[in-house]
């Protein structure tokens, strides 16, 4: 949703989406605000930065890496192909993000929230933590 907007971002940071997916998320954000303001509904936006869990799909870089490490260790794979190793992400635990979403709905007044851990790491650092 923020695209090229430099960090740190917060609830007041302007959006600059770079993909059709990001554009659709920004549209949903504004639909939510419209329902809140026009119809008095209790609607909240949660702008959630990357979050991980054991259920993460294999097409995401973290799962792609962990799956490849296991396969390489037992001889089922020889190489791992990745894109930009300098890509930086703020990775949190999905359970914490779920709690944050629940807390949004417990407030007296609806609002919009950014959920992040404020601790970015590059993909290369994630790779270095793996036990090859």
């Amino acid at each position: 949703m923020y695209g090229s907007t430099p960090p740190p971002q917060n609830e007041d940071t302007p959006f600059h989406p770079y993909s059709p997916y990001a554009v659709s998320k920004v549209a949903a954000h504004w639909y939510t605000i419209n329902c809140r303001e026009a119809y008095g509904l209790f609607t909240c936006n949660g702008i959630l930065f990357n979050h991980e869990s054991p259920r993460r799909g294999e097409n995401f870089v973290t799962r792609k890496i962990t799956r490849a490490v296991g396969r390489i260790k037992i001889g089922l794979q020889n190489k791992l192909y990745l894109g930009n190793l300098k890509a930086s992400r703020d990775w949190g635990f999905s359970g914490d993000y779920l709690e944050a979403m629940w807390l949004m709905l417990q407030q007296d007044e609806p609002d919009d929230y950014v959920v992040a851990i404020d601790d970015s790491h590059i993909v290369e650092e994630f790779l270095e933590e793996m036990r090859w």
Side-chain angles (χ1 to χ4, degrees):
M1 293 171 66
Y2 293 115
S4 65
T5 307
Q9 291 98 9
N10 62 43
E11 292 82 357
D12 298 318
T13 303
F15 298 128
H16 193 230
Y18 266 9
S19 69
Y21 175 63
V23 169
S24 71
K25 288 173 72 169
V26 170
H29 177 87
W30 286 109
Y31 293 146
T32 301
I33 291 172
N34 178 260
C35 288
R36 179 171 59 224
E37 293 177 353
Y39 304 106
L41 298 176
F42 191 101
T43 59
C44 298
N45 278 304
I47 302 167
L48 281 55
F49 277 66
N50 294 42
H51 43 286
E52 300 290 329
S53 85
R55 295 181 176 204
R56 181 58 115 174
E58 293 176 8
N59 55 328
F60 290 88
V61 69
T62 49
R63 185 69 177 109
K64 185 176 182 180
I65 292 169
T66 56
R67 188 168 189 268
V69 168
R71 291 176 56 82
I72 289 169
K73 258 192 146 128
I74 62 172
L76 296 176
Q77 186 173 332
N78 294 321
K79 295 180 181 181
L80 170 60
Y81 296 96
L82 296 170
N84 181 5
L85 299 182
K86 300 297 183 193
S88 181
R89 297 291 179 265
D90 181 305
W91 281 302
F93 173 59
S94 59
D96 295 337
Y97 285 50
L98 184 60
E99 182 178 3
M101 290 184 281
W102 181 82
L103 289 170
M104 289 176 208
L105 299 175
Q106 306 314 304
Q107 303 308 303
D108 292 332
E109 297 293 325
D111 207 346
D112 304 321
Y113 302 90
V114 171
V115 181
I117 62 169
D118 195 27
D119 187 20
S120 294
H121 294 276
I122 60 173
V123 174
E124 189 172 42
E125 290 176 286
F126 190 91
L127 276 170
E128 289 169 358
E129 290 296 318
M130 297 296 102
R131 303 294 178 242
W132 300 86

